[in-house]
């Protein structure tokens, strides 16, 4: 099932905007097909290639300008023939006298700006009309320019470009004669985009194109695609939750031990909600920079976050309860992403967001492989996608030495462990050592993170969490394969335990955080993720403290865990309280290899166990019994829902 087409389905846009093409249409190069959009909504025909755009009330507008070479709204899957025309009516808000807005014809890639491909017809705030050609390397070539009375900052401007083979003429408004005429033998057919200078906001009333035909959009240069070939069948490796751990988790739930006895119902609530959700994978995955536009960033990122976490929650519920509905629906999420996503981009925040959410899919796959819920051929397809797409995406930011590198390493470590890649695990351990050497100073602080937010430091605790969580997950997976990162001490004499000691102290007493001098109430995401808490969702930024207390026990950590109770999070590994809380490793596997440690159930938090309202999962007639999950590897546990 090799995939070759760069996709963009614009069925909704066709209904709204195309005249003369009855969907599904295969346009002929007759020049009599017209596209028009009056922007009652921003249809799927358009891609926000740069900057943030929205449409309402009959106009499309730039909400947040692009940060480098302006804002671009690209028409997808349709372009202009050699004989064609393009008309746009627009105005501008803000910007200096030379700031401009206009449109690009005959562009190549949908994310190209005016320096990368095509011919841009622009009007400056001072009235200059110009035709420029992309010259590459952030440069342009001017073909023609003239002064006009147009003032897009004060009034609507209508610009029409007519293409006739090697000739392009530009008319303003309803003028009878062109204001500019350009001849260039390199004119060819291509795509259309609205474009605006980064110093202003463009407002577009309408766009009308003639001579429109279907085109296949080329993949962006930063696109990483899967060939569609499944991975060869081979023994897979342990990532985070092996059979023995599942047994121990279930035993602790049955015995009423915290935090598992409180965490298990929360998992079931999440899994039941997941049964009501359907996968929503994109054909191409792209996440813009958070600090340029948080709303657009979250909208693009949340699809992966929700689907990956849902798949893991369902898979974990399946293995603990034996409910086949959970297993089948978890597999549907994995299959949807494997079968739909044709490109994962690596620019802006795309690779980072992919690296901190996709591991939850890997954890789901670990729980489903070998079960009746997920046929072997579909597992092999996922493994192929993991090797050809997910791992290269992580590798694109692996060189980063801050939290980006930590998350790239988490996805990489989870991926190579799943695939049973011994050489990959060794390389992951070596990179983990490099990050511990670089990231943790002699005080146990993480200098790359503690002063975040332009040196203000109000995000310093959060970003310390955000780099330690993936490193602690990496350490857990490496430990299962014989690599001991937990006790590694760097050249500063510090390691993960020291970093945990420092940040847990700051969480317990925010006044002690030395990198912020303002109101401690304004420190971000100290225990939970603030913007989610504001919506009534409790997701912890410090859920990895469950892992830390097992490895570096302290009274501070114990108190924080007692305060918070069962925790979950949104990044990579939800429900760590359920799978790891109080489950202390008693034997290290030793030399690198496939060894699996033994786990002790332990008393957990005895002051909680058996307290008021604690369910009696075991010990009475009709209590849950151990049994094999249907078709499951080895044996797993069936717990009551």
């Amino acid at each position: 099932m090799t995939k070759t087409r760069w996709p963009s389905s614009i069925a909704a846009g066709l209904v709204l905007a195309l005249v003369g093409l009855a969907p599904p249409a295969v346009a002929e190069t007759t020049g009599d097909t017209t596209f028009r959009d009056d922007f009652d909504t921003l249809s799927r025909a358009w891609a926000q290639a740069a900057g943030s755009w929205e449409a309402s009330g009959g106009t499309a507008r730039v909400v947040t300008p692009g940060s480098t070479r302006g804002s671009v709204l690209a028409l997808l899957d349709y372009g202009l023939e050699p004989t064609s025309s393009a008309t746009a009516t627009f105005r501008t808000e803000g910007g200096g006298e030379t700031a401009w807005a206009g449109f690009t014809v005959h562009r190549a890639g949908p994310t190209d700006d005016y320096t990368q491909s095509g011919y841009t017809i622009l009007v400056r705030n001072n009235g200059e009309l110009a035709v420029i050609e992309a010259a590459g390397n952030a440069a342009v070539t001017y073909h023609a320019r003239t002064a006009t009375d147009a003032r897009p900052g004060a009034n609507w401007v209508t610009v029409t470009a007519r293409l006739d083979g090697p000739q392009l003429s530009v008319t303003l408004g309803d003028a009878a004669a062109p204001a500019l005429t350009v001849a260039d033998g390199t004119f060819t057919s291509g795509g259309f985009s609205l474009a605006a200078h980064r110093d202003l906001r463009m407002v577009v009333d309408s766009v009308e194109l003639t001579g429109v035909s279907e085109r296949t959009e080329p993949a962006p240069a930063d696109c990483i695609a899967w060939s569609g070939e499944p991975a060869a069948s081979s023994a897979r490796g342990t990532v985070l939750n092996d059979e023995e751990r599942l047994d121990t988790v279930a035993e602790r739930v049955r015995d009423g031990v915290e935090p598992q006895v409180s965490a298990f119902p929360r998992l079931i609530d999440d899994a039941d909600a997941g049964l009501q959700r359907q996968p929503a994978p994109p054909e191409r995955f792209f996440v813009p920079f958070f600090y340029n536009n948080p709303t657009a960033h979250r909208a693009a990122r949340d699809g992966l976050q929700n689907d990956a976490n849902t798949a893991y929650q369902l898979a974990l519920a399946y293995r603990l309860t034996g409910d086949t509905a959970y297993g089948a629906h978890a597999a549907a999420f994995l299959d949807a992403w494997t079968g739909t996503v044709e490109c994962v981009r690596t620019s802006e925040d795309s690779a980072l967001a992919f690296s901190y959410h996709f591991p939850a899919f890997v954890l789901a796959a670990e729980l489903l492989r070998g079960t009746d819920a997920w046929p072997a051929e579909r597992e092999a397809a996922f493994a192929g996608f993991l090797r050809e797409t997910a791992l290269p995406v992580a590798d694109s930011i692996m060189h980063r030495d801050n939290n980006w590198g930590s998350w790239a390493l988490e996805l990489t470590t989870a991926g190579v462990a799943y695939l049973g890649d011994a050489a990959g695990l060794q390389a992951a351990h070596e990179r983990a050592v490099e990050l511990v050497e670089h990231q943790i100073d002699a005080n146990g602080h993480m200098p790359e993170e503690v002063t975040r937010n332009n040196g203000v430091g109000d995000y310093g605790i959060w970003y310390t969490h955000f780099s330690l969580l993936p490193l602690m997950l990496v350490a857990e997976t490496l430990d299962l394969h014989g690599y001991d990162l937990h006790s590694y001490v760097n050249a500063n004499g510090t390691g993960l335990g020291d970093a945990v000691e420092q940040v847990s102290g700051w969480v317990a007493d925010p006044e002690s955080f030395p990198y912020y001098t303002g109101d401690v109430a304004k420190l971000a995401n100290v225990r939970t993720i603030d913007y989610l808490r504001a919506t009534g969702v409790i997701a912890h930024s410090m859920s990895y403290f469950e892992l830390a207390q097992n490895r570096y026990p302290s009274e501070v950590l114990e108190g924080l865990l007692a305060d918070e109770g069962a925790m979950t999070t949104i990044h990579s590994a939800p429900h760590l309280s359920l799978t790891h809380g109080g489950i202390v490793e008693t034997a290290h596997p030793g030399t690198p290899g496939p060894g699996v440690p033994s786990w002790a159930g332990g008393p957990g938090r005895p002051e909680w166990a058996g307290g008021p309202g604690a369910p009696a999962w075991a010990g009475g007639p009709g209590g849950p019994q151990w049994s094999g999950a249907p078709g499951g590897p080895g044996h797993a546990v069936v717990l009551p829902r």
Side-chain angles (χ1 to χ4, degrees):
M1 52 180 184
T2 300
K3 302 176 181 179
T4 58
R5 186 181 64 88
W6 169 247
S8 178
S9 172
I10 63 167
L14 292 174
V15 173
L16 292 171
L18 284 175
V19 179
L21 278 178
V26 178
E28 298 177 352
T29 58
T30 58
D32 60 358
T33 302
T34 300
F35 172 99
R36 182 177 176 86
D37 199 333
D38 292 315
F39 296 112
D40 292 327
T41 62
L42 193 61
S43 78
R44 293 173 60 197
W46 299 96
Q48 301 181 54
S52 175
W53 298 70
E54 67 179 16
S56 63
T59 60
R61 66 178 58 238
V62 174
V63 179
T64 305
S67 60
T68 54
R69 285 184 291 279
S71 306
V72 177
L73 187 66
L75 177 64
L76 295 178
D77 288 347
Y78 284 83
L80 296 170
E81 287 297 299
T83 301
S84 55
S85 70
T87 300
T89 299
F90 59 89
R91 59 182 173 84
T92 62
E93 296 176 348
E97 286 292 293
T98 60
W100 57 266
F103 54 82
T104 303
V105 298
H106 292 346
R107 62 148 176 84
T111 63
D112 286 359
D113 63 41
Y114 62 94
T115 71
Q116 294 171 307
S117 68
Y119 299 80
T120 299
I121 297 89
L122 61 89
V123 183
R124 299 187 189 276
N125 281 342
N126 63 13
E128 182 182 66
L129 174 68
V131 177
I132 59 176
E133 179 184 0
N137 296 318
V140 299
T141 299
Y142 276 82
H143 283 281
R145 57 205 306 176
T146 188
T148 75
D149 293 331
R151 294 295 184 269
N155 300 295
W156 293 100
V157 173
T158 298
V159 180
T160 298
R162 292 182 174 83
L163 297 102
D164 186 5
Q167 182 168 296
L168 183 155
S169 61
V170 182
T171 303
L172 286 178
D174 56 2
L180 291 176
T181 300
V182 176
D184 186 347
T186 62
F187 283 170
T188 59
S189 59
F192 174 89
S193 296
L194 294 164
H197 191 271
R198 67 187 180 193
D199 291 339
L200 55 69
R201 288 170 169 80
M202 183 182 191
V203 183
V204 186
D205 178 70
S206 63
V207 168
E208 183 168 338
L209 311 177
T210 68
V212 177
S213 63
E214 290 185 337
R215 71 190 299 267
T216 299
E217 297 286 1
D222 65 329
C223 174
I224 295 179
W226 174 44
S227 69
E229 293 299 318
S233 298
S234 62
R236 306 296 188 212
T238 303
V239 183
L240 195 65
N241 298 307
D242 58 17
E243 300 299 315
E244 195 167 359
R245 179 174 296 280
L246 293 176
D247 289 349
T248 301
V249 168
E251 182 178 4
R252 288 169 69 91
V253 174
R254 293 171 60 208
D255 291 346
V257 179
E258 292 289 2
Q260 280 74 26
V261 72
S262 295
F264 179 68
R266 181 168 185 177
L267 169 69
I268 297 304
D269 287 345
D270 284 347
D272 286 344
L275 287 175
Q276 306 307 311
R277 293 190 64 251
Q278 295 301 317
E283 291 178 335
R284 61 181 177 274
F285 181 81
F286 172 74
V287 179
F289 285 126
F290 175 80
Y291 288 106
N292 287 353
N293 192 322
T295 301
H297 170 97
R298 288 172 179 151
R301 179 205 66 197
D302 284 357
L304 174 58
Q305 171 189 300
N306 294 335
D307 282 8
N309 289 347
T310 296
Y312 178 52
Q313 291 157 356
L314 288 164
L316 187 56
Y318 167 57
R319 292 301 308 278
L320 291 175
T321 69
D323 188 329
T324 56
Y326 290 144
H329 206 47
F333 279 84
L334 287 162
D335 295 341
W337 276 74
T338 302
T340 302
V341 177
E342 297 189 7
C343 168
V344 177
R345 294 181 57 195
T346 59
S347 59
E348 301 200 21
D349 278 346
S350 304
L352 174 62
F354 195 83
S355 293
Y356 59 62
H357 285 316
F358 196 80
F361 271 137
V362 181
L363 298 182
E366 176 184 35
L367 295 169
L368 292 179
R369 65 190 179 201
T371 71
D372 290 343
W374 203 27
E377 64 273 14
R378 284 151 60 186
E379 186 280 333
F382 173 81
F385 182 90
L386 176 61
R387 182 176 292 283
E388 288 188 21
T389 298
L391 292 181
V393 168
D395 189 62
S396 73
I397 58 170
M398 184 70 82
H399 63 284
R400 298 286 293 269
D401 288 327
N402 63 352
N403 65 81
W404 287 56
S406 300
W407 283 113
L409 182 60
E410 157 58 4
L411 174 52
T412 297
T413 305
V416 295
Y418 182 89
L419 295 169
D421 182 348
L425 282 163
Q426 181 177 348
H429 177 254
E430 292 170 356
R431 179 57 178 155
V433 167
E434 292 175 353
L435 289 177
V436 171
E437 286 286 346
H438 175 82
Q439 291 188 354
I440 304 173
D441 68 13
N443 297 312
H445 302 175
M446 305 185 83
E448 296 269 9
E449 314 300 343
V450 289
T451 60
R452 288 299 293 264
N453 197 10
N454 296 319
V456 174
D458 52 341
Y459 279 72
I461 294 176
W462 158 237
Y463 273 101
T464 299
H465 288 323
F466 200 57
S467 202
L468 272 178
L469 169 57
L471 289 178
M472 290 295 293
L473 291 170
V474 165
E476 288 294 317
T477 299
L478 289 175
D479 192 84
L480 291 169
H481 296 271
Y483 295 95
D484 183 12
L485 187 66
H486 291 106
S487 60
Y488 178 79
V489 176
N490 66 19
N492 296 315
T494 53
L496 293 176
D498 299 285
V500 166
E501 180 182 3
Q502 290 299 313
V503 72
S504 61
W506 298 333
V507 172
D509 178 16
E511 295 279 2
S512 69
F513 183 59
Y515 298 96
Y516 178 66
T517 58
D519 180 0
V520 295
K522 295 182 179 179
L523 285 168
N525 303 337
V526 174
R527 296 194 181 200
T528 60
I529 298 172
D530 297 335
Y531 83 91
L532 290 173
R533 179 181 280 277
T535 67
V537 175
I538 303 301
H540 285 81
S541 51
M542 50 175 261
S543 65
Y544 68 97
F545 281 4
E546 294 285 14
L547 306 177
Q549 178 66 353
N550 294 339
R551 303 291 179 169
Y552 318 109
S554 73
E555 291 183 1
V556 172
L557 284 170
E558 183 179 6
L560 291 169
L561 294 173
D563 284 348
E564 293 300 316
M567 296 188 291
T568 190
T569 192
I570 61 172
H571 297 103
S572 283
H575 297 286
L576 281 174
S577 290
L578 177 62
T579 59
H580 287 73
I583 303 177
V584 183
E585 183 186 3
T586 59
H588 191 277
T591 57
V596 177
S598 298
W599 303 98
R605 298 166 187 135
E607 70 277 18
W608 295 351
W617 294 109
Q625 302 295 316
W626 301 87
S627 73
H635 70 279
V637 187
V638 175
L639 291 171
R641 292 180 47 182

